[in-house]
Amino acid sequence: MTREPSNSGDSKISVAFCCLGNICRSPMAEAVLRHTTSEMELSHLINEIDSFGTSGFHAGDGPDRRTVQTCRANGVPVNHVSRQVRPSDFERFDYIFAMDRENLEDLKYMQPRGSKSKIMLFGSYCEDAKMDKVISDPYYGGPDGFQCSFRQLDHFSRTFLKKLAAGTA
């Protein structure tokens, strides 16, 4: 069961992001949410933000250079070492946000029975009808795909944080 956040700071939540390899979308999401939480002065609501992949292909690697370039170009610091999701993550995090439907289904399959994590698409926090709720993998494309992912993640982060602050996340 997800803990209800409160503005008193005594019931902070934990958030994690997941994509396939944990080098493009999920470390970008982690960086964007961390930055936006600070920018919106809502750090009192979240005690931990992290990311991981459903696969261990890139475990131990840093973020893709295009992820780093895109984040830096948008004034968002990114610092992460890739890792694969662990069974303990399903108890550690209140929310685990998948970037796409495939990773959502993989996470639901991996989730231990009775664990507390609420697993959902981060795009569930989309309030722009023109924006795709699925964050497509930009790995095989150019810089435009990374910038598109960044715009989506920024929008979803702001919407999530507004709802979290209002107690409706």
Side-chain angles (χ1 to χ4, degrees):
M1 174 127 194
T2 302
R3 289 172 284 181
E4 291 299 320
S6 74
N7 291 334
S8 65
D10 60 346
S11 186
K12 293 181 176 187
I13 58 129
S14 53
V15 179
F17 297 96
C18 186
C19 64
L20 181 62
N22 192 219
I23 60 168
C24 296
R25 297 169 289 172
S26 57
M28 184 185 288
E30 174 189 346
V32 169
L33 183 65
R34 185 173 283 117
H35 177 79
T36 306
T37 300
S38 176
E39 183 182 81
M40 293 176 69
E41 299 181 356
L42 295 174
S43 298
H44 61 282
L45 297 177
I46 301 176
N47 69 347
E48 184 176 15
I49 302 170
D50 199 355
S51 67
F52 37 73
T54 52
S55 80
F57 297 142
H58 298 284
D61 294 348
D64 185 284
R65 65 177 170 72
R66 297 162 296 174
T67 292
V68 173
Q69 290 168 345
T70 302
C71 284
R72 287 187 180 153
N74 286 282
V76 173
V78 60
N79 182 19
H80 182 76
V81 175
S82 176
R83 72 177 182 86
Q84 187 173 12
V85 63
R86 298 183 285 255
S88 61
D89 290 324
F90 295 96
E91 277 303 321
R92 181 174 165 196
F93 294 99
D94 295 297
Y95 292 89
I96 298 177
F97 293 122
M99 301 292 105
D100 57 45
R101 288 181 180 87
E102 292 81 11
N103 285 294
L104 177 67
E105 291 306 314
D106 288 345
L107 285 166
K108 287 181 177 182
Y109 178 78
M110 294 174 182
Q111 185 176 25
R113 186 179 201 96
S115 59
K116 75 172 186 175
S117 293
K118 182 176 182 179
I119 300 171
M120 57 195 294
L121 280 177
F122 196 36
S124 298
Y125 290 96
C126 183
E127 293 185 334
D128 182 345
K130 295 177 185 164
M131 186 175 284
D132 196 341
K133 292 181 180 185
V134 171
I135 303 165
S136 297
D137 192 347
Y139 185 79
Y140 293 104
D144 290 347
F146 284 83
Q147 188 58 40
C148 178
S149 294
F150 185 91
R151 282 191 303 273
Q152 289 173 285
L153 293 167
D154 182 64
H155 173 77
F156 302 161
S157 291
R158 291 178 188 283
T159 302
F160 172 69
L161 290 168
K162 283 189 280 185
K163 290 182 182 248
L164 186 64
T168 60

